[in-house]
Amino acid sequence: MINDLRNIVKKFIGIDIGGTGIKGVIINGLGNVLAEGSVPTDADKGEEAMMSNIVDLINSMLSSVDIVKREISGIGIGCPGLIDSKNGMVVFAGNLNLKYYPLATEVSERVGLPVKITNDANAAALGEAKFGAGKKFEDSVLVTLGTGVGGGIVIGGKLFEGGNSAGTEIGHMVIAEDGEKCTCGRRGCYERYASARALIAQTREAMSEHKESKMWETYTLETVSGKTPFDYMDTDETAKNVVNKYIKHLACGIINIVNIFRPQVVMLGGGVSEQGERLTIPVQEYLDNEIFAGMTYAPVKVVKATLGNKAGVFGAAALLM
Amino acid sequence: MINDLRNIVKKFIGIDIGGTGIKGVIINGLGNVLAEGSVPTDADKGEEAMMSNIVDLINSMLSSVDIVKREISGIGIGCPGLIDSKNGMVVFAGNLNLKYYPLATEVSERVGLPVKITNDANAAALGEAKFGAGKKFEDSVLVTLGTGVGGGIVIGGKLFEGGNSAGTEIGHMVIAEDGEKCTCGRRGCYERYASARALIAQTREAMSEHKESKMWETYTLETVSGKTPFDYMDTDETAKNVVNKYIKHLACGIINIVNIFRPQVVMLGGGVSEQGERLTIPVQEYLDNEIFAGMTYAPVKVVKATLGNKAGVFGAAALLM
């Protein structure tokens, strides 16, 4: 009860830096939103422009709800790229033109509050773990199925970032030796099989090979999306095969991660996760059959993430909790 | 300096339970051995026989060096099987005929000292991390190349066991979807390609296919060992190909693990690791080329483990540190 009261009283700022926009929230320890806002990133205008936008965002959120700085426990920031969270440093973020940039110190000096930072995928995982699909569990993994496959891991309620906070690159785990070439330089990486981009490529390939398919009748190789095979899977054999193969790849990587981290829950996020139970039910079946040493001790559930693109900003705020 | 003195004064008991024998040590916080010993496991004679052997081992080590119990900070035990380290429970250990056996409590009640337990692979990883090849590093991974591929992970100086201490089953990470059938039920698991057993199978296959090879002249399919292809690699093309392919598989799984955990050091243990630089140099090359986002930030070294079959008993003692 005391703990609950404390969670209501304490306030946290979360900032999620994206390639084009920056989102912000002020939440209390229960995850209730007290204020929110957004500003452009303006990465092309240089670091100072971005800093100034972040400070404006924080000040406008504070003044919108009449909260003064000393009520805030701290600021958490999720940022794309390679992040040294211990030293608050953006080691490298191509989209933001940042290299060895002391983001935490720069924001802290301007705003006068403690700042913690992490990679944006990690922030999303912490957000889902604390306030989303993982909130009932101590140990959770978020697998984000977008352009690539992102991952974030929370163990014992704490973000697990790997050594030098440079780990959890689950998208670059090879599941098919000598397989498809990946942007990272390896062959057969998980994200070459389980990302939204991979799903679209798999759909295009199947359509080209099966011109009798209903997908081919309605879509071109340009208009097809990751949603298409799911839309047609009940009426078109080609679509059904695409979905089944995709789910098999998806499950393969998830089981690898489960055998290593043994979370209580695996949460699927990103565009493809909108398919909900069409993904979670068959992936759960693969997992039930293949998890190491069975499900009796330490069972694992597969669910859809629930916070969508707000996971990152909630998780950023949760860095201070 | 105070810290050093404290480490010399504090004493710890480590116990490593194997299928046939149980090893024990008393060490101080610096890893200096004050006493050691061993007893048979006697798993076939039941739990009481095993308990009695463990108590005898502890008492005989204590009396051999005139140390009294109250000088000991605690007892750590490494045990094969599925271990619930939080509750000190052996969930399942087939070779020991144990199922939901409260090992920590049973030993603690008999000896009158605090007891912590972990899986034997984890204990070995902690031992190597604290007192072996990983002692200069905060974050390390031990990959053991034996009958299977075992793994243990230490991050920030602490053992990482995964949720419910049931994780880090890196041998059962699929690196080749639809590949060779594994004992765990999956196909294409890492240990089907990188274990000593896999290496022997790969050697046998190559010998059968290449009866002109020098290995075929000297060995039969029964007498060949994991050492054979390394012994012949400089003079026999078939042997060289076996080694090169094996190292490629080995590196594939190591890079997966590095991309997830980003340790400072990967230590190779188990029988195959006796090949030393014949493994570590080429694996390091693969890693340098394929590690995610390059080696500049957060570099990773591949080395041979140094404690051999004593890693487990040292790591068990280190559970209390």
Side-chain angles (χ1 to χ4, degrees):
Chain A
M1 190 62 193
I2 290 169
N3 191 29
D4 274 357
L5 275 174
R6 208 177 287 156
N7 280 335
I8 294 171
V9 172
K10 279 198 171 182
K11 296 175 184 69
F12 308 86
I13 292 177
I15 302 287
D16 183 16
I17 304 180
T20 56
I22 299 173
K23 287 197 283 285
V25 286
I26 304 176
I27 62 174
N28 64 19
L30 301 175
N32 301 126
V33 176
L34 310 174
E36 54 189 323
S38 65
V39 289
T41 307
D42 288 338
D44 51 327
K45 295 183 188 162
E47 299 156 10
E48 280 310 313
M50 193 177 95
M51 279 302 114
S52 156
N53 291 349
I54 290 174
V55 172
D56 287 351
L57 172 61
I58 291 169
N59 287 332
S60 80
M61 287 195 298
L62 286 168
S63 61
S64 75
V65 284
D66 221 9
I67 290 173
V68 292
K69 273 180 201 170
R70 67 169 182 277
E71 293 178 69
I72 303 287
S73 299
I75 301 171
I77 305 179
C79 182
L82 189 57
I83 307 296
D84 174 355
S85 62
K86 195 170 149 196
N87 297 305
M89 185 80 75
V90 180
V91 179
F92 180 73
N95 286 339
L96 305 178
N97 300 319
L98 297 179
K99 214 168 170 178
Y100 287 95
Y101 183 71
L103 179 63
T105 309
E106 292 289 337
V107 174
S108 183
E109 280 177 359
R110 283 172 173 81
V111 183
L113 283 168
V115 175
K116 287 191 179 179
I117 71 173
T118 191
N119 173 274
D120 55 353
N122 289 339
L126 186 60
E128 284 290 346
K130 289 268 186 197
F131 303 115
K135 69 182 170 189
K136 290 182 191 156
F137 305 96
E138 278 285 284
D139 311 312
S140 62
V141 173
L142 175 67
V143 179
T144 308
L145 310 168
T147 312
V149 173
I153 290 148
V154 173
I155 296 281
K158 300 267 174 211
L159 198 52
F160 174 83
E161 300 178 300
N164 289 299
S165 62
T168 77
E169 289 292 347
I170 66 165
H172 301 286
M173 161 180 70
V174 166
I175 62 165
E177 258 199 306
D178 303 319
E180 312 234 10
K181 186 88 185 156
C182 182
T183 51
C184 79
R186 304 186 78 188
R187 281 191 171 276
C189 282
Y190 186 36
E191 76 171 35
R192 293 291 293 130
Y193 298 87
S195 64
R197 185 186 280 176
L199 173 57
I200 294 168
Q202 289 153 13
T203 309
R204 284 179 180 150
E205 197 186 326
M207 281 168 66
S208 308
E209 283 172 12
H210 295 275
K211 298 202 168 145
E212 78 285 3
S213 102
K214 288 186 183 161
M215 294 192 294
W216 184 260
E217 283 170 29
T218 322
Y219 289 92
T220 68
L221 296 182
E222 283 71 43
T223 58
V224 74
S225 78
K227 201 170 157 283
T228 315
F230 287 95
D231 287 345
Y232 284 78
M233 64 182 278
D234 295 328
T235 54
D236 179 13
E237 198 67 18
T238 304
K240 192 177 156 191
N241 285 337
V242 169
V243 167
N244 287 347
K245 279 184 196 164
Y246 172 77
I247 285 173
K248 186 176 170 233
H249 296 311
L250 177 62
C252 178
I254 286 175
I255 300 164
N256 282 359
I257 294 299
V258 164
N259 283 349
I260 292 171
F261 286 96
R262 200 73 182 209
Q264 281 113 52
V265 65
V266 175
M267 306 173 292
L268 303 182
V272 186
S273 75
E274 292 306 318
Q275 296 304 325
E277 293 191 342
R278 288 183 144 172
L279 289 180
T280 57
I281 289 174
V283 169
Q284 181 78 53
E285 265 174 44
Y286 275 107
L287 187 59
D288 290 351
N289 286 329
E290 295 189 21
I291 189 170
F292 187 74
M295 273 289 186
T296 315
Y297 175 73
V300 184
K301 279 183 75 164
V302 180
V303 302
K304 182 179 173 302
T306 57
L307 298 181
N309 62 15
K310 289 197 169 171
V313 76
F314 276 87
L319 285 174
L320 278 297
M321 294 178 186
Chain B
M1 189 63 193
I2 290 169
N3 191 30
D4 274 358
L5 275 174
R6 209 178 287 155
N7 280 335
I8 294 172
V9 173
K10 279 198 170 183
K11 297 175 182 69
F12 307 87
I13 292 177
I15 302 287
D16 182 17
I17 304 179
T20 55
I22 298 173
K23 288 197 283 284
V25 286
I26 303 176
I27 62 174
N28 65 18
L30 300 176
N32 301 125
V33 176
L34 310 175
E36 55 189 324
S38 66
V39 289
T41 307
D42 288 338
D44 52 327
K45 295 182 188 163
E47 299 154 10
E48 280 310 314
M50 194 177 95
M51 278 303 114
S52 157
N53 291 350
I54 290 174
V55 173
D56 288 350
L57 172 61
I58 291 169
N59 287 333
S60 82
M61 288 195 298
L62 286 169
S63 62
S64 76
V65 284
D66 222 11
I67 289 173
V68 293
K69 274 180 199 170
R70 66 169 182 277
E71 293 179 69
I72 303 287
S73 298
I75 302 170
I77 305 178
C79 182
L82 190 57
I83 307 295
D84 174 355
S85 62
K86 195 170 150 196
N87 297 303
M89 185 80 76
V90 180
V91 178
F92 180 72
N95 286 340
L96 305 178
N97 301 318
L98 297 179
K99 214 169 171 177
Y100 286 96
Y101 183 71
L103 178 63
T105 309
E106 293 289 337
V107 173
S108 184
E109 280 177 359
R110 282 170 174 82
V111 182
L113 284 168
V115 175
K116 286 192 179 179
I117 72 173
T118 192
N119 173 274
D120 54 353
N122 289 340
L126 187 60
E128 284 290 346
K130 290 268 187 197
F131 303 114
K135 69 183 170 190
K136 290 183 193 155
F137 305 96
E138 278 284 285
D139 312 312
S140 62
V141 172
L142 175 67
V143 178
T144 308
L145 310 168
T147 313
V149 173
I153 291 147
V154 173
I155 296 282
K158 300 268 174 211
L159 197 52
F160 175 82
E161 300 178 299
N164 289 298
S165 60
T168 76
E169 290 292 347
I170 66 164
H172 301 286
M173 161 181 70
V174 166
I175 62 164
E177 258 199 307
D178 303 319
E180 311 235 10
K181 186 89 184 155
C182 181
T183 51
C184 79
R186 306 186 77 189
R187 281 190 171 278
C189 283
Y190 185 38
E191 76 171 35
R192 292 292 292 129
Y193 297 88
S195 64
R197 186 187 280 176
L199 174 57
I200 294 169
Q202 289 153 14
T203 309
R204 284 179 181 150
E205 198 185 324
M207 281 167 67
S208 308
E209 282 172 13
H210 295 276
K211 298 200 169 146
E212 79 285 2
S213 104
K214 288 188 184 159
M215 294 193 292
W216 184 259
E217 283 171 27
T218 322
Y219 289 93
T220 68
L221 297 182
E222 284 70 43
T223 57
V224 74
S225 78
K227 202 170 155 285
T228 315
F230 287 95
D231 287 344
Y232 285 78
M233 64 183 278
D234 295 329
T235 53
D236 179 13
E237 198 66 18
T238 305
K240 193 178 157 192
N241 286 337
V242 169
V243 168
N244 286 346
K245 280 184 196 163
Y246 172 78
I247 284 172
K248 187 176 171 233
H249 297 310
L250 177 62
C252 177
I254 285 174
I255 300 163
N256 282 357
I257 294 300
V258 164
N259 283 349
I260 292 171
F261 286 97
R262 201 73 182 209
Q264 282 113 51
V265 64
V266 175
M267 307 173 292
L268 303 182
V272 186
S273 75
E274 291 307 318
Q275 298 304 325
E277 293 192 341
R278 289 184 143 172
L279 288 181
T280 56
I281 289 174
V283 169
Q284 182 77 53
E285 267 175 43
Y286 275 107
L287 188 59
D288 290 351
N289 287 328
E290 296 189 22
I291 190 170
F292 187 75
M295 272 290 186
T296 316
Y297 176 74
V300 184
K301 279 184 74 164
V302 180
V303 301
K304 182 179 173 301
T306 56
L307 297 182
N309 62 14
K310 288 197 170 170
V313 77
F314 276 86
L319 285 173
L320 279 298
M321 293 178 186

